[in-house]
Amino acid sequence: MSESKPPTPTPPGDMYKGWLFKWTNYIKGYQRRWFVLSNGLLSYYRTQAEMGHTCRGTINLATANIAVEDSCNFVISNGGAQTYHLKASSEVERQRWITALELAKAKAVHMQAESDDSGDDCPAVPPSSGQGGGCRNLEIQSTLRTLGSKVEDLNTCNDLIVKHGSALQRSLSELEGIRVVGDMGEKMRQVTERATLFRITSNAMINACRDFLSLAQNHSKRWQKALQAERDQRIRLEETLEQLAKQHNHLERAFRGATVLPSSFSNPALANKGGASVKGDASDEDDDNEFFDAMEDPAGFITVPADPKYHSVACLSIRRSGSNVSGLSSEIGMDEQSVNFDEQSMVSNPESPPPLELEPVRQRRTRIPDKPNYYLNLWSIMKNCIGKELSKIPMPVNFNEPLSMLQRLSEDLEYYELLDKAAKCQSSLEQMCYVAAFTVSSYSTTVHRTGKPFNPLLGETFELDRLKDCGYRSLCEQVSHHPPAAAHHASSEKGWTLRQEITLASKFRGKYLSIMPLGSIQCLFDKSDNHYSWKKVTTTVHNIIVGKLWIDQSGEIDVVNHKTGDRCHLKFAPYSYFSRDVPRKVTGVVTDKEGKAHYVLSGTWDEKMEFSRIMQSSKGENGTEGKQRTVYQTLKAKEIWRKNPLPEGAENMYFFSSLALTLNDPEEGVAPTDCRRRPDQRLMEDGRWDEANAEKQRLEEKQRTVRREREREAVKAASSPEEGTHPDSYQALWFEKLDDPVSGETLHVYKGGYWEAKEQGSWDMCPEIF
């Protein structure tokens, strides 16, 4: 007990953690555990390393009783269901824990009372919907929330000081009235204990006051400077606007003069102020985009087989890619000269290609507004939903992330490079390794994503056009509402096509939520005609009611090549408290149609995968279940896939990846049914959750009304002898249901027409769902 270091005191309301001894049973007695106090919840772990994935227990202090037994022991109980008998290493450390627990309890009770009154905790200042000052507004809101939290801590400390002060005063009064010497020691101990509590609470009050004063002084100076900067910027903008108005007037007069005098470009002043300035701006933008386009070209993912005879081919390919880069760089250099408004050089060289021939690559966003800190009583919503299907539960956006299920489905293309490499493979077995790695990679984005995506409305679509910068484009459509089903089609210039139809079945079991994806995924390669198919594993969300949410993937996947008979059996090991194996482990074996193993895959679904070529296999010793294990002798493992790092600040942006941050970015020309146009999802991304909840209810009610109307019309049509439409039938707009002769499965297949409609700007056939 003397080895345990007491935790460093932290301000009220912040996280408090440290080692305590917890009573387990009469055999083991007290065991050392790592305790964490945060947001009114006291959780414990066996070690600090378990904080990322395994919580051994959690107790809510809002309904708990805290009792002191002796100098080092204290008990926390919530009425009999959970009771923690704890022991600190010293009396001082016990006093620190008692003070921190009482502060956290008072704050949790206060927040629960506010939640019961209003349902949601609204921010003090509504987030700004503008784009220009978004970052600054978010910073101000964060500061105001921090100051508000400090004021709340001061109020809590004040209440505790009054409480402990009154208790101390009572003890002193009782001490004065004691006449028996035997009772003196007990009363002195109570006075000392209450004086210690009063001193610790007073110190916490002083520290909170000091922090509040420091924050107020620092941000007061910053806000004064920011206000002055805003005033200066407004003056500069007014001056710039005045200059632009003068230039616009001058350009109009120059244009009128050019219609009368065709030789107006002979005047260098008019040439520089007229079309050349506009041309220069456009070429400047093109130059930036061409630079990034040139950098994307050498990332062609050249597959280098192990055989040395292919090395020369790879080197030649790399050199050829390098020459293309230099060629593009020279073109960029020529275009940069046009930015200097050299009108004579442009006229004297009419054969030089215009800068618009190389189409620019769009610069996509790298941030979204930070997630607001909304408090919500989860149990008040979920207690009536046990055993129900998740798609039929009306859930507020507080549990969502600002993406649709169609966009989450498109995130499977995060590591499209694996399919690009697979399309270049000469061996079907090696190609199977890349397809299997792509299958595993689709789960890497879910490890921290505990938010629920929006359920798409019937007929809702989502396009992901990355043809210019990545060589592929995809389209998703919600083809059924009950059960919810989405069809997805993606095609690449590198020679592969991905199509899938996913139906989600989910059940809430109280402590955890199980999500079972139904449906098939298929991948086709043009060059080899290889046709692969597989299904997804079960996703489980743990600690739904109490504790930290964490996600696990478990089950088995068989990736089958229907042309050659090759097969890859992947096993996602479920997490176990008692397993010493690596968490989130995935193993797989690639076999041919005769069942002979050729490759072994291993890794984790949240980090990386490796593959090794099997040189020899033999039967080993019996395993734990009495089955004889196979021993594979393999070559050195090679990394086939590694997860991309998350962008900076991802923990404040729903743990979105770089691709996920761009999915809801508004784009021109998309269909009226595209997810980007969904108003409740857009409001949630902007941080306006109350408005998003109201809009979500409006859209869901509108969808129910349309469904009832469609059913009435279908029943009326079915009653006539000419018509025979089923009441629940719905015809998808861009997909049609077909039987696949290769895999023998029935799924929705893209029938074409979407990209042609987008090019023509004709969306008359799209229903109005928003």
Side-chain angles (χ1 to χ4, degrees), residues 453-467:
F454 280 77
N455 288 333
L457 303 174
L458 188 61
E460 190 171 336
T461 61
F462 177 71
E463 69 163 68
L464 184 62
D465 191 353
R466 296 290 192 270
L467 201 61

Side-chain angles (χ1 to χ4, degrees), residues 95 103 162 166 175 422-423 491 552 607 616 649 667 709 723 747 760:
Q95 295 292 350
L103 288 171
V162 173
S166 301
L175 187 61
S491 58
D552 192 24
E607 184 178 357
Q616 188 177 356
E667 291 188 14
E709 182 65 26
E723 301 291 340
L747 73 163
Q760 298 171 5

Side-chain angles (χ1 to χ4, degrees), residues 215-267:
L215 280 172
Q217 290 176 346
N218 292 337
H219 290 290
S220 175
K221 296 177 181 178
R222 292 179 57 188
W223 287 344
Q224 288 178 2
K225 293 181 180 178
L227 180 60
Q228 185 61 38
E230 290 288 344
R231 290 173 178 171
D232 297 341
Q233 185 178 8
R234 187 189 66 181
I235 294 174
R236 288 195 300 269
L237 288 175
E238 290 176 352
E239 295 175 352
T240 304
L241 184 62
E242 185 179 357
Q243 293 178 3
L244 288 174
K246 293 179 180 179
Q247 292 179 6
H248 179 71
N249 188 20
H250 186 78
L251 288 173
E252 282 186 348
R253 283 183 286 149
F255 177 74
R256 294 192 187 99
T259 56
V260 180
L261 301 175
S263 60
S264 63
F265 277 97
S266 61
N267 188 348

Side-chain angles (χ1 to χ4, degrees), residues 292-341:
F292 289 107
D293 192 24
M295 292 302 291
E296 290 288 341
D297 185 46
F301 301 104
I302 302 166
T303 303
V304 183
D307 196 336
K309 69 181 181 180
Y310 291 101
H311 290 178
S312 60
V313 178
C315 294
L316 288 174
S317 301
I318 293 173
R319 292 193 189 98
R320 184 167 60 251
S321 299
S323 63
N324 291 339
V325 174
S326 62
L328 286 174
S329 301
S330 64
E331 292 179 6
I332 293 170
M334 293 176 62
D335 291 337
E336 285 177 350
Q337 296 175 2
S338 66
V339 182
N340 298 325
F341 312 115

Side-chain angles (χ1 to χ4, degrees), residues 678-697:
R678 182 164 174 165
D680 53 349
Q681 189 171 303
R682 178 67 57 196
L683 288 169
M684 183 194 176
E685 182 183 285
D686 293 338
R688 298 154 64 183
W689 285 14
D690 293 334
E691 300 175 50
N693 275 317
E695 190 66 24
K696 182 173 181 290
Q697 293 179 6

Side-chain angles (χ1 to χ4, degrees), residues 2 12 24 64 82 145 214 231 246 266 294 301 318 341 448 469 648 729 759:
S2 60
T24 56
Q82 288 178 296
R145 284 195 296 267
S214 176
R231 290 173 178 171
K246 293 179 180 179
S266 61
F301 301 104
I318 293 173
F341 312 115
H448 299 297
D469 43 359
E648 184 179 357
S729 63
E759 185 176 354

Side-chain angles (χ1 to χ4, degrees), residues 404-410 412 454-462 475-489 498-505 517-521 536 675 730 732 735-736 746-750:
S404 170
M405 189 62 204
L406 302 181
Q407 292 164 318
R408 285 290 294 267
L409 203 60
S410 301
D412 287 356
F454 280 77
N455 288 333
L457 303 174
L458 188 61
E460 190 171 336
T461 61
F462 177 71
L475 176 67
C476 292
E477 182 180 359
Q478 187 76 0
V479 295
S480 174
H481 185 62
H482 284 300
H488 180 208
H489 176 87
L498 183 74
R499 62 192 186 194
Q500 55 182 323
E501 181 179 347
I502 299 298
T503 301
L504 294 180
L518 308 176
S520 175
I521 307 172
K536 288 181 174 287
C675 299
Y730 170 78
F735 289 81
E736 58 182 346
T746 302
L747 73 163
H748 282 82
V749 180
Y750 176 61

